[in-house]
Amino acid sequence: MATEYARYGHGYGTDRGHRRRRLPAGLRAPFEARSWREFGYVLLGLPMGILMFTYAVTMVSLGAGLLVTFLGVPVLAAALAGCRGIGVLERARARGLLGLEVAEPEPLRMKRHGVLAWTGAVLKSGASWRALLYSVLQFPWSVFSFVVGLTVWSVGWTLLTYPLWFWVFPMWAGQGGIQLYGDEHHRVFLDNPFEIGVTALVGLLFTLATPWIVRALTMVDRVLVHGLLGPSRLSARVVELESDRGTVVDTAAADLRRIERDLHDGAQARLVALAMDLGLAKEKLAEDPRAAARMVDEAHGEVKTALQELRDLARGIHPAVLTDRGLDAALSSVASRCTVPVSVDVDLAERPAPAIEGIAYFTVSELLQNISKHSGARSASVDVWRVEDRLMLQVVDDGVGGADVSAGSGLAGLAGRLDAVDGILVVDSPAGGPTRVTAELPWRR
């Protein structure tokens, strides 16, 4: 019996949860935690705005007034540093109440230590002046958003709950209800059941609209925080380029290690064995010419194998056909070595820069190797074309699918290599296939 009760009780709770989730967003909004957090952000905005505006105007005015002395510059730097500190609090407030994640702005760049170096770095930092601008602009906006948000919120809930407290007017105020109109001769009160019901309905409309009004107000705050308290586009680009440079360096080092390993384990080992075989054949030449001839013949086969390995290694780095004839011939060559039939279609009126061409070749080569080893496909296709200033690559196979960049496979390294040159790798590989990998590279002449 207890088991049956638990099962039915669990089902009832699940159905109730589904009904709650099926409730329209407009009806859920007044009771959602997000709406209350946004309203709290608007309410806190006014005291924070007063604090920031007062600090910024006072300190900047003091610093500007003292510029005629040597104290003006450090006071102005202290004012900007304080605004940067306020920016930290504002980002935390936006993160906690609005769920807005804003990265820290670029740090101060000081070539040497000391007060003078710090003062110069603060004054030259664009983030410091943006924080000062935020401290000034946020105050008038916070006054507006506080008044609008508090007004619509209080009016909505006051009118909605009017049927519960309208008795206060005749009992304590000596009037029938909320006064809708009044002059010297005539007054209109909301005191009969119909008027009270209409008042509650108007309050319901206000209550339902208030979260969206507050959300629209906080959108402006999001723009201000993100635009003035976050990193500038230039600094974000510098950070991205520094990260890409690290990726390029790591990729080049990995390629060098791979080449060294292939040479050491492949061609170099074969050449060492070849030298030993030729030495033995030289010793056997006088006493057993037939054995020496057989050993020379085996050494000849080892030479062919070593040459083929060196040729494959050079082709994997940057094949001569790519330099001489471009992507069409080079990709056709690598497609011919794939274990499944591959159709290649290259539609390019001109050739991109050699570096971009090399990355495109490497990308397609890696994807075709994955098809040969893991896909179980019966056929594949490679398409290359240009869209404005972007070089597009697409490799499709009818294999089992399931390829995932986030799984830490070779696709993740390939995506990092493309990202280092502002490229993009998109993998669409549902279970059961087909797999469609699209790469996008910048077109550079």
Side-chain angles (χ1 to χ4, degrees), residues 10 46 109 119 126 129 131 139 164 196 218 237 249 285 313 364:
H10 177 72
L46 181 60
R109 298 182 179 273
T119 301
W129 294 99
F139 172 65
L164 303 178
I196 293 174
T218 57
R237 182 59 176 166
V249 171
L285 185 61
L313 180 60
V364 175

Side-chain angles (χ1 to χ4, degrees), residues 400-404 429-435:
V400 297
D404 187 6
S429 182
T435 296

Side-chain angles (χ1 to χ4, degrees), residues 153-327:
W153 197 283
S154 58
V155 167
W157 285 101
T158 299
L159 296 182
L160 178 62
T161 58
Y162 183 56
L164 303 178
W165 59 271
F166 76 97
W167 52 269
V168 171
F169 288 94
M171 182 173 292
W172 302 102
Q175 62 185 46
I178 295 178
Q179 183 175 329
L180 185 63
Y181 172 79
D183 54 24
E184 296 180 356
H185 307 288
H186 183 65
R187 295 180 181 179
V188 177
F189 297 100
L190 302 175
D191 53 1
N192 61 61
F194 174 76
E195 294 172 345
I196 293 174
V198 171
T199 301
L201 179 61
V202 173
L204 177 62
L205 296 178
F206 266 93
T207 302
L208 295 178
T210 296
W212 306 102
I213 296 174
V214 173
R215 193 159 300 172
L217 295 174
T218 57
M219 288 301 297
V220 178
D221 290 286
R222 292 173 185 269
V223 173
L224 288 174
V225 173
H226 190 276
L228 296 179
L229 298 182
S232 65
R233 291 185 178 181
L234 179 59
S235 64
R237 182 59 176 166
V238 169
V239 171
E240 181 182 357
L241 291 177
E242 289 177 348
S243 175
D244 292 345
R245 181 181 62 185
T247 302
V248 170
V249 171
D250 293 340
T251 301
D255 289 340
L256 288 176
R257 289 193 297 269
R258 177 178 59 84
I259 295 170
E260 181 182 6
R261 183 180 62 251
D262 292 343
L263 286 174
H264 183 272
D265 298 339
Q268 181 178 344
R270 290 189 181 277
L271 291 175
V272 171
L274 174 62
M276 296 175 62
D277 290 343
L278 289 176
L280 293 174
K282 181 179 179 181
E283 294 176 358
K284 291 279 187 180
L285 185 61
E287 56 187 51
D288 190 355
R290 289 186 178 181
R294 186 172 61 254
M295 296 177 68
V296 170
D297 185 62
E298 293 175 356
H300 183 256
E302 288 293 324
V303 169
K304 290 183 178 179
T305 304
L307 288 175
Q308 183 62 39
E309 290 181 353
L310 289 173
R311 191 177 297 112
D312 292 340
L313 180 60
R315 186 184 295 115
I317 300 172
H318 195 92
V321 67
L322 178 61
T323 304
D324 298 337
R325 300 171 56 189
L327 277 174

